[in-house]
C-alpha cells in the first residue's frame, strides 16, 4: 500500500491524508464523552495528519500533554468533584444520543 501511496502526486497525498485524518479526528471528538476510545481515536487522527502537516504534530503533542495534565488534576480531586465530572460527562453523552435520535431509532428497531 505504501508503494502505491508514495507514487501519488504530493497534492493528492496531502489531500488524501488531510481528509482521512480529519474524518478520524472528528469521529474521535464525537466519541470522547462515551465510554471507549474517543481520545485514542483523536490521537490516531492527529498522527495521520502529522504525516503531512507539521502543525498537526505540534497539536498532537500539545493535546497529549493537556490530556495527561487533565487526568492528573482529576485524580487529585475529591470523590465529590470526580463524581460531578462523571455526572456531567454522562449528561453530555445522553444529550448527544438524544440529538442523534438514538432513542427513537432504538424504539423503532425493537418495536417499543
Amino acid at each position: 500500500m505504501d508503494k502505491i501511496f508514495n507514487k501519488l502526486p504530493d497534492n493528492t497525498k496531502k489531500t488524501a491524508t488531510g481528509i482521512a485524518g480529519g474524518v478520524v479526528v472528528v469521529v474521535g471528538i464525537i466519541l470522547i464523552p462515551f465510554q471507549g476510545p474517543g481520545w485514542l481515536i483523536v490521537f490516531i487522527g492527529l498522527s495521520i495528519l502529522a504525516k503531512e502537516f507539521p502543525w498537526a504534530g505540534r497539536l498532537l503533542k500539545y493535546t497529549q500533554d493537556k490530556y495527561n495534565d487533565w487526568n492528573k488534576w482529576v485524580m487529585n480531586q475529591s470523590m465529590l468533584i470526580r463524581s460531578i465530572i462523571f455526572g456531567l460527562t454522562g449528561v453530555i453523552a445522553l444529550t448527544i444520543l438524544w440529538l442523534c435520535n438514538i432513542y427513537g431509532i432504538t424504539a423503532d428497531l425493537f418495536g417499543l
Side-chain angles (χ1 to χ4, degrees):
M1 190 70 165
D2 273 349
K3 289 180 184 179
I4 296 170
F5 191 73
N6 289 334
K7 289 181 182 179
L8 294 173
D10 286 341
N11 282 346
T12 305
K13 285 194 289 192
K14 199 167 207 158
T15 302
T17 302
I19 291 170
V23 167
V24 173
V25 168
V26 169
V27 168
I29 289 171
I30 291 169
L31 293 176
I32 286 172
F34 299 101
Q35 187 175 9
W39 278 109
L40 177 63
I41 294 171
V42 170
F43 294 144
I44 290 170
L46 287 173
S47 296
I48 292 169
L49 289 171
K51 288 187 173 284
E52 291 290 331
F53 303 99
W55 60 264
R58 293 188 301 273
L59 181 59
L60 176 61
K61 173 76 172 109
Y62 176 81
T63 307
Q64 287 173 329
D65 291 344
K66 292 301 173 188
Y67 175 80
N68 291 332
D69 292 345
W70 168 257
N71 281 336
K72 287 177 191 171
W73 182 83
V74 169
M75 288 299 127
N76 290 327
Q77 300 307 306
S78 68
M79 186 57 87
L80 175 65
I81 299 298
R82 284 190 270 172
S83 297
I84 291 170
I85 292 169
F86 180 76
L88 289 174
T89 302
V91 168
I92 292 169
L94 291 173
T95 302
I96 291 170
L97 291 172
W98 179 73
L99 289 171
C100 294
N101 195 29
I102 297 301
Y103 303 116
I105 292 169
T106 305
D108 289 345
L109 186 63
F110 294 106
L112 302 174

